[in-house]
Amino acid sequence: MMSETRQIRTFEELEARRQTVRARMSDKVRIQVGLGTCGRAAGAGKTYDVFAESVIRHDLEADVIQVGCMGECAFEPMVEVIGTDGTSTIYCKVTKAVAEEIVTHH
């Protein structure tokens, strides 16, 4: 059975949807690594591994997530860190050293 998709028509409906989605998200920080074709070609696989290993090594409350294209091929590997309050920070050209610094200081 297919679920119905309801269009959002007002700002209030959009805000209500945003709050619903936010409530379903975990209380952890989310680290999203762009692993689309251009990200992979730029070394994002290694970047993902660094974040995954660092989160475990530092015993952090964070989820490391693979996402697709982030839309700016020239700046790959790209990483988005989403805080528990919903704030978002995007990092570009994330090397292993930069990934370690993000985990340590963000």
Side-chain angles (χ1 to χ4, degrees):
M1 195 172 195
M2 189 179 268
S3 66
E4 276 188 49
T5 302
R6 190 172 153 258
Q7 284 188 340
I8 297 172
R9 299 185 189 273
T10 66
F11 178 76
E12 289 77 20
E13 290 175 348
L14 176 63
E15 183 63 24
R17 176 72 58 89
R18 187 169 70 94
Q19 293 301 326
T20 300
V21 170
R22 185 176 284 167
R24 283 189 278 174
M25 293 170 57
S26 74
D27 291 333
K28 296 180 182 178
V29 169
R30 289 181 16 203
I31 302 168
Q32 299 184 162
V33 181
L35 282 159
T37 304
C38 53
R40 289 182 186 279
K46 291 179 183 177
T47 301
Y48 176 87
D49 292 342
V50 170
F51 278 107
E53 292 166 5
S54 293
V55 164
I56 292 168
R57 185 173 58 250
H58 295 289
D59 194 30
L60 300 175
E61 289 290 321
D63 290 326
V64 182
I65 301 167
Q66 297 180 22
V67 297
C69 177
M70 294 186 71
E72 294 292 336
C73 301
F75 298 109
E76 293 288 358
M78 292 179 67
V79 174
E80 181 177 16
V81 179
I82 303 172
T84 56
D85 62 353
T87 58
S88 169
T89 305
I90 296 176
Y91 296 93
C92 303
K93 297 190 178 190
V94 180
T95 62
K96 179 180 178 179
V98 172
E100 290 284 353
E101 188 173 337
I102 291 169
V103 169
T104 303
H105 293 100
H106 188 89

